[in-house]
């Protein structure tokens, strides 16, 4: 098996002592674990073959934002930028906000270190998520975001993990821990980008205390060669509310696990996601919502557009434990296939062990609607532009639900460009096809 | 302007139009009436080029060109407009994006300059007011969650902005209350012009109280069985369609 850990251990960074224990447990779990194969149910449609190569340690880059091709939403708050997993102070901006503490693990003070030590890894118990164990084993630094109790953040926090071009294929480790304390409120954007075939192994943990509210977005905008295996792991305490929005472009191998645990009554989670694939790209979203207690709600919608010979996997599980009475949960997954060779494997799974719940789930796979296409054409809109408008419209409804205006303003032209470039036409015509989006 | 000769068409292997002929000149308003299943809506769909409708005979010329040689959007560029009986909902594409795309495409095909954003916004707002539709509808998804009446007004608004040569209204009056009907009638009457023609496809005579047609045709079993002036519509209202079918037989 490819050694995914050793290259990461070769990096000479000072690791705080209190992280060492977690590294060692992670390492033991990783060493004892066996790599999933196509016979592992959770990995049935996703091959790890692209990981069969020699990886190097992530190189430090001092390239400028322009050289890196950084293109980020203009949000008002703090922005922390990591390039190849390494902190780049010069590209980061810290904006003072009384409600927020945002700090790297390596810079955490005693109180923060204690909080990190108390919560880190609690959203990923056991050894089920093997790549989270790899992340633990290679842990050298990470970001800790604390939203203070009974306070509301003034600005959204933006975390950027960008991989630069490099001569060799490297591994970068990404870790985030968010602690939203009782009745706090904040917004957070995770941004993954990059121009190469690096492998990112990420783990983001969100711990929401009683009554806490978090608006979270996670953007995967890496290049089509990118390799990413990562997870978002969440714990929701009583009456906590999480709005979590996901957008991913396809990669050579992308696997994202989203695990949300309703642990306190009255918690609510709205989970929306979009995936867009073309070429030979692959993406695999596995979501798992655990309803362990009564009176919680989940509203989950994922939509994907898959073209060319790309393949998407969506597995959405909602697990309602015996005690989780009065649960309201709905899951919808709609897929649009824009070519005859595109493929999607979708599997919504409801597992219900309580008897007084309201649950619904559904998945559809379709081509573009002929009636819609005809309607647009009767108004004089050429067929190729109509196809772009309809593809865009298919996912735009989810973008529209996003609370952050600046993020919507960033995503709309980006998506328009994406669909313009998807068509077989030349790029000049591509912009012609998308010029009415956002009119 | 529109010349239909002995048109035969079928859907799913079932023949619907069986030798329909109709001449419409610029400036005229024609009404086509007929019982359910007579082929009224099929005519509109065939003229618009809707997939699934197969032409099995006859010819249609629009503005001197063979309509079946043209793509749907080319027909629109030439000035053909069909107001749908059941307008399609397109969530995620705003009405504004849709209208601008349509108007730009049609104007471009006529070598006319595109409106800049500001003047187009103004025109769109004016059109909204003209059809008594709140401007908030410009920002909503195309027909998304609109009531039946709102959808019909939206069709009318598109017609006003696109300034077509031939406007086919497919049962635009169906399901409208009397206020909405008057809005539609007012819109059509305002647009009546020497170089523009209308084809009103309707099930009821009521619409013709507000829009005075030059000709009334009765469609039964896939062809026009009787033509006359507006008094024919009143006669139909009184006697129903039964007597015509007997007469034809």
């Amino acid at each position: 098996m490819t050694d995914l850990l050793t290259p990461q251990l070769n990096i000479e960074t000072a690791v705080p002592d209190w992280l060492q224990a977690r590294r060692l447990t992670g390492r033991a779990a990783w060493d004892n674990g066996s790599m999933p194969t196509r016979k592992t149910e959770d990995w049935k449609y996703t091959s790890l073959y692209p990981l069969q190569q020699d990886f190097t340690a992530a190189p430090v880059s001092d390239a400028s934002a322009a050289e890196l091709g950084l293109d980020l939403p203009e949000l008002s708050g703090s922005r922390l930028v990591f390039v190849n997993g390494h902190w780049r102070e010069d590209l980061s901006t810290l904006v003072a906000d009384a409600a927020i503490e945002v700090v790297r693990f390596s810079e955490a003070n005693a109180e923060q270190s204690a909080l990190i030590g108390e919560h880190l890894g609690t959203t990923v118990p056991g050894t089920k998520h093997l790549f989270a164990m790899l992340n633990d084993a290679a842990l050298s630094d990470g970001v800790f975001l604390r939203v203070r109790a009974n306070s509301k953040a003034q600005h959204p926090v933006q975390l950027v993990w960008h991989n630069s071009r490099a001569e060799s294929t490297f591994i970068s480790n990404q870790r985030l821990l968010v602690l939203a304390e009782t009745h706090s409120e904040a917004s957070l954007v995770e941004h993954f980008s990059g121009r190469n075939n690096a492998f990112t192994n990420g783990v983001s943990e969100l711990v929401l205390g009683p009554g806490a509210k978090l608006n979270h977005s996670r953007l995967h905008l890496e290049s089509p060669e990118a390799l990413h295996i990562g997870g978002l792991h969440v714990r929701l305490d009583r009456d906590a509310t999480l709005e979590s929005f996901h957008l991913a472009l396809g990669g050579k191998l992308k696997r994202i696990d989203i695990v949300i645990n309703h642990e306190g009554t009255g918690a609510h989670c709205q989970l929306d996601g979009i995936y867009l694939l073309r070429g030979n790209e692959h993406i695999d979203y596995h979501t798992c919502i655990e309803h362990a207690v009564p009176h919680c709600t989940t509203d989950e919608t994922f939509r994907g557009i898959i073209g060319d010979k790309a393949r998407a996997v969506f597995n959405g599980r909602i697990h309602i434990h015996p005690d989780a009475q009065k649960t309201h949960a709905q899951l919808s997954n709609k897929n649009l296939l824009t070519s005859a060779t595109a493929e999607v494997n979708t599997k919504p799974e409801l597992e219900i062990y309580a008897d007084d719940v309201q649950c619904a789930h559904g998945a559809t796979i379709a081509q573009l609607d002929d009636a819609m296409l005809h309607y647009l054409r009767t108004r004089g809109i050429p067929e190729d532009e109509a196809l772009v408008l309809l593809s865009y419209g298919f996912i735009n409804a989810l973008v529209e639900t996003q609370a952050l205006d600046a993020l919507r303003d960033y995503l709309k032209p980006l998506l328009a460009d994406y669909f313009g470039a998807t068509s077989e036409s030349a790029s000049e015509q591509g912009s012609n096809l998308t010029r009415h989006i956002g009119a | 302007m529109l010349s239909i000769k002995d048109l035969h068409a079928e859907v799913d292997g079932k023949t619907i139009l069986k030798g329909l002929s109709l001449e419409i000149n610029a400036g005229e308003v024609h009404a086509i009436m007929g019982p359910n299943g007579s082929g009224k809506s099929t005519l509109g769909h065939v003229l618009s080029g809707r997939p699934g409708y197969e032409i099995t005979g006859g010819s249609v010329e629009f503005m001197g060109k063979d309509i079946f040689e043209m793509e749907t959007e080319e027909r629109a560029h030439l000035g053909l407009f069909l107001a749908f009986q059941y307008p399609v909902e397109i969530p995620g594409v705003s009405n504004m994006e849709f209208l601008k795309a349509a108007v730009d495409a049609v104007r471009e095909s006529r070598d006319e300059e595109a409106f800049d954003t500001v003047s187009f916004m103004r025109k769109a707002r004016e059109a909204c007011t003209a059809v008594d539709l709140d401007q908030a509808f410009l920002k909503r998804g195309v027909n998304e969650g609109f009531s039946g009446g709102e959808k019909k007004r939206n069709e009318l608004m598109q017609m006003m902005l696109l300034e077509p040569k031939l406007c086919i209204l497919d049962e635009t009056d169906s399901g409208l209350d009397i206020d909405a009907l008057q809005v539609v009638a007012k819109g059509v009457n305002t647009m009546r012009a020497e170089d523009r023609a209308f084809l009103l496809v309707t099930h009821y005579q009521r619409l013709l109280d507000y829009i005075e047609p030059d000709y009334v045709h009765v469609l039964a079993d896939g062809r026009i069985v009787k033509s006359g002036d507006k008094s024919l519509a009143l006669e139909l209202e009184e006697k129903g369609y039964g007597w015509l079918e007997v007469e034809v037989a």
Side-chain angles (χ1 to χ4, degrees), chain A residues 280-295:
Chain A
N280 283 308
E281 294 165 7
H282 181 95
I283 198 158
D284 179 346
Y285 265 111
H286 263 64
T287 72
C288 177
I289 321 287
E290 299 281 355
H291 280 268
V293 294
H295 292 288

Side-chain angles (χ1 to χ4, degrees), chain A residues 370-398:
Chain A
D370 283 342
M372 291 185 189
L373 185 61
H374 176 65
Y375 187 68
L376 293 179
R377 293 177 70 193
T378 62
R379 299 311 183 239
I381 301 173
E383 183 174 14
D384 46 3
E385 184 180 357
L387 289 169
V388 167
L389 276 175
L390 290 176
S391 297
Y392 172 81
F394 183 74
I395 50 121
N396 183 42
L398 289 179

Side-chain angles (χ1 to χ4, degrees), chain A residues 22-159:
Chain A
R22 175 150 292 278
R23 278 165 64 101
L24 293 175
T25 7
R27 180 161 191 175
W30 174 253
D31 286 344
N32 291 326
S34 52
M35 278 289 247
T37 68
R38 302 293 284 272
K39 288 180 181 162
T40 316
E41 181 60 25
D42 268 353
W43 292 84
K44 192 172 175 183
Y45 301 106
T46 295
S47 162
L48 290 173
Y49 181 74
L51 295 182
Q52 296 290 338
Q53 54 178 310
D54 289 330
F55 291 97
T56 64
V60 174
S61 162
D62 58 3
S64 68
E67 285 164 347
L68 292 167
L70 273 184
D71 170 26
L72 303 169
E74 286 304 322
L75 304 177
S76 54
S78 292
R79 172 190 282 172
L80 278 75
V81 178
F82 293 79
V83 175
N84 305 345
H86 303 290
W87 159 249
R88 282 286 299 271
E89 188 174 7
D90 58 318
L91 299 176
S92 304
T93 323
L94 292 173
V95 176
D97 193 327
I100 276 180
E101 292 169 29
V102 56
V103 66
R104 285 177 297 134
F105 293 176
S106 53
E107 301 282 314
N109 63 30
E111 187 195 6
Q112 290 162 338
S113 304
L115 286 171
I116 300 169
E118 186 187 335
H119 294 280
L120 191 72
T122 59
T123 66
V124 205
T127 55
K128 180 180 177 242
H129 293 274
L130 188 65
F131 283 90
M133 300 301 104
L134 173 65
N135 188 279
D136 271 1
L139 202 52
S140 59
D141 205 354
V143 175
F144 176 54
L145 168 63
R146 176 188 186 187
V147 194
R148 291 174 165 277
N150 304 309
S151 53
K152 182 179 175 182
Q154 298 303 304
H155 306 284
V157 173
Q158 188 177 12
L159 302 169

